[in-house]
Amino acid sequence: MIMASPAESLLQHRSFVAFWLARTCSSFGFQMLSIIVGWQIYAITGKAFYLGLIGLVQFLPSVTLALWAGHIADQRDRRRIVFFSQLVEWLAIVALTLLTLLHHNDVWTILALVFVLSVAKVMEAPAMQSMLPALVPPRLLARATAASAVGGQAAMIMGPALGGLLYVAGAQVVYMVTGLLYLLSIVMVSRLRYEQTPPPRTPATLSTLFAGVRFIRERPDVLGVISLDLFAVLLGGATALLPIYAHDILHTGPLGLGLLRAAPAVGALLVGFWLSHRALERHVGMIMFICVAGFGAATLLFALSTWFWLSMLALFATGGFDMVSMVIRGALVQLDTPDEMRGRVNAVNSIFINTSNQLGEFESGMLAAWLGVVPAAAIGGIGTLVVVGLWMHWFPGLRRRQRLENEVA
């Protein structure tokens, strides 16, 4: 049950407002940067190979350093980790700006700076994610999670478009605006009032690095929500097939493809905005399962649709359903995890999310090559529904979960 929110507002918590502004500014900057680097490198080389290298230099740090980043987030002051990580990212952006202004079009130098930026981003992520529960009371965490997600979705929708618009004036203009957004984020982080009592510092060993994995395995509710997210995203990667659907099934052009790509993010944005003003009071476990099932059903509807606007509606619904379940999953994991473990647990969770997104697109592409595009997308939707049924049976405590807070294992 989703009840009306209490009188207390998120705006009353100044540290959360600063956190939200910092995260939104850096998200906008990163989305603009991601698309502009690709355009610039392709303009220099004209070869798709180098576009693949951009993905590689971003992917490698996320896999190899995530567990260590989680360990550091639990051992050091998280605000300082975020501050210095974003400072390194800002310096990398300044360097990219100078290279562009000086017409130093060396692809390997650009890739090296993207790698540095990616390493800093990986170090920042677990610390940033782990800070949120300390900035608002537990009763407001779901709403705060939704509000934070709204900023991220807005950046995903408008960031690339804004970057492309500014690129008309030159790549250096985009880098300058991106640098300004990161500088604003750094200022907001420096103004955060964040209190953390780190545990005694311990060296990074296999035991400490994999402590997050052990914690998740020993907590049924946490294991349930993280693994549900993993398999639902893995099976529901139909968006990777959008170019084929747009061209061969819905018979639309680049504009139609752009609208189809935007539909899930718009659905998530609107539902996230609504959730940021509503409290999840009861039956959160069933609401989560129903929304993941809704995501699977909407994916199946999209798979079978031959009407453009019905496909748009289905994709819009996938974004909305996913936002509700994501808010519940995110808040539940944070509240069920002790503060001294949040960095490592969030690091493991981020690995699962990143790999499931990438493998989900790979799985959809392979199935489409073997079986055809419609059966591949339909199998993804049906598979998600099957996973929901299995998880409801295997995790009965999660199914019966009533509230997000006060049920900490």
Side-chain angles (χ1 to χ4, degrees), residues 308-374:
F308 178 81
W309 291 110
L310 181 59
S311 299
M312 283 278 294
L313 180 62
L315 290 172
F316 177 89
T318 62
F321 281 125
D322 187 52
M323 174 58 74
V324 178
S325 63
M326 184 196 73
V327 167
I328 294 174
R329 293 192 309 263
L332 191 149
V333 169
Q334 297 280 34
L335 288 169
D336 275 18
T337 305
D339 185 63
E340 66 271 13
M341 286 293 302
R342 283 194 179 118
R344 283 167 286 183
V345 170
N346 282 320
V348 176
N349 194 19
S350 68
I351 292 174
F352 284 176
I353 291 172
N354 290 336
T355 55
S356 62
N357 279 319
Q358 293 151 357
L359 290 177
E361 294 185 0
F362 175 75
E363 173 265 341
S364 294
M366 290 300 98
L367 276 181
W370 294 335
L371 304 176
V373 61
V374 173

Side-chain angles (χ1 to χ4, degrees), residues 10 16 19-28 31 132 141-159 264-278 319-320 322-324 326-327:
L10 289 171
F16 171 74
F19 174 89
W20 186 89
L21 288 171
R23 193 162 189 176
T24 301
C25 285
S26 61
S27 295
F28 263 92
Q31 290 296 329
L132 184 56
L141 182 58
R143 292 167 57 194
T145 302
S148 183
V150 165
Q153 290 294 331
M156 288 178 63
I157 295 170
M158 293 182 281
V266 172
L269 180 65
L270 294 178
V271 172
F273 182 78
W274 181 66
L275 284 174
S276 68
H277 292 80
R278 294 291 186 271
D322 187 52
M323 174 58 74
V324 178
M326 184 196 73
V327 167

Side-chain angles (χ1 to χ4, degrees), residues 32-57:
M32 293 169 61
L33 186 69
S34 297
I35 194 166
I36 295 308
V37 167
W39 283 358
Q40 187 180 26
I41 285 183
Y42 190 70
I44 295 170
T45 66
K47 296 180 180 179
F49 169 75
Y50 291 97
L51 297 180
L53 288 182
I54 296 174
L56 181 63
V57 298

Side-chain angles (χ1 to χ4, degrees), residues 113-404:
L113 288 170
V114 172
F115 179 78
V116 170
L117 196 147
S118 300
V119 170
K121 197 75 177 173
V122 170
M123 298 304 298
E124 172 197 344
M128 177 73 89
Q129 294 164 8
S130 301
M131 289 172 65
L132 184 56
L135 302 179
V136 296
R139 63 184 175 277
L140 294 181
L141 182 58
R143 292 167 57 194
T145 302
S148 183
V150 165
Q153 290 294 331
M156 288 178 63
I157 295 170
M158 293 182 281
L162 180 60
L165 181 64
L166 292 173
Y167 191 79
V168 175
Q172 68 275 8
V173 175
V174 186
Y175 287 133
M176 289 177 183
V177 174
T178 301
L180 179 60
L181 287 169
Y182 264 90
L183 193 59
L184 289 172
S185 179
I186 291 169
V187 171
M188 289 297 103
V189 170
S190 69
R191 296 171 62 88
L192 277 176
R193 294 181 179 178
Y194 177 73
E195 296 182 1
Q196 175 192 4
T197 305
R201 294 183 181 180
T202 57
T205 64
L206 286 178
S207 178
T208 58
L209 290 177
F210 284 89
V213 177
R214 287 198 307 274
F215 179 89
I216 292 169
R217 190 179 59 200
E218 294 168 359
R219 301 301 193 281
D221 284 5
V222 178
L223 176 62
V225 294
I226 290 179
S227 57
L228 177 66
D229 182 43
L230 170 67
F231 284 99
V233 173
L234 183 64
L235 293 168
T239 52
L241 306 175
L242 283 182
I244 303 175
Y245 265 90
H247 185 271
D248 296 342
I249 296 175
L250 302 175
H251 306 293
T252 186
L255 176 60
L257 175 59
L259 291 173
L260 291 170
R261 283 195 177 279
V266 172
L269 180 65
L270 294 178
V271 172
F273 182 78
W274 181 66
L275 284 174
S276 68
H277 292 80
R278 294 291 186 271
L280 294 161
E281 298 285 357
R282 296 175 58 193
H283 309 304
V284 295
M286 279 304 300
I287 290 173
M288 181 190 66
F289 279 120
I290 289 170
C291 287
V292 178
F295 174 85
T299 301
L300 181 59
L301 176 62
F302 169 77
L304 301 177
S305 170
T306 56
W307 297 342
F308 178 81
W309 291 110
L310 181 59
S311 299
M312 283 278 294
L313 180 62
L315 290 172
F316 177 89
T318 62
F321 281 125
D322 187 52
M323 174 58 74
V324 178
S325 63
M326 184 196 73
V327 167
I328 294 174
R329 293 192 309 263
L332 191 149
V333 169
Q334 297 280 34
L335 288 169
D336 275 18
T337 305
D339 185 63
E340 66 271 13
M341 286 293 302
R342 283 194 179 118
R344 283 167 286 183
V345 170
N346 282 320
V348 176
N349 194 19
S350 68
I351 292 174
F352 284 176
I353 291 172
N354 290 336
T355 55
S356 62
N357 279 319
Q358 293 151 357
L359 290 177
E361 294 185 0
F362 175 75
E363 173 265 341
S364 294
M366 290 300 98
L367 276 181
W370 294 335
L371 304 176
V373 61
V374 173
I379 287 173
I382 294 170
T384 301
L385 293 172
V386 171
V387 165
V388 170
L390 291 173
W391 261 242
M392 290 179 69
H393 175 70
W394 289 341
F395 298 93
L398 186 57
R399 185 185 71 239
R400 294 191 293 264
R401 180 105 176 202
Q402 291 293 311
R403 301 174 63 84
L404 290 170

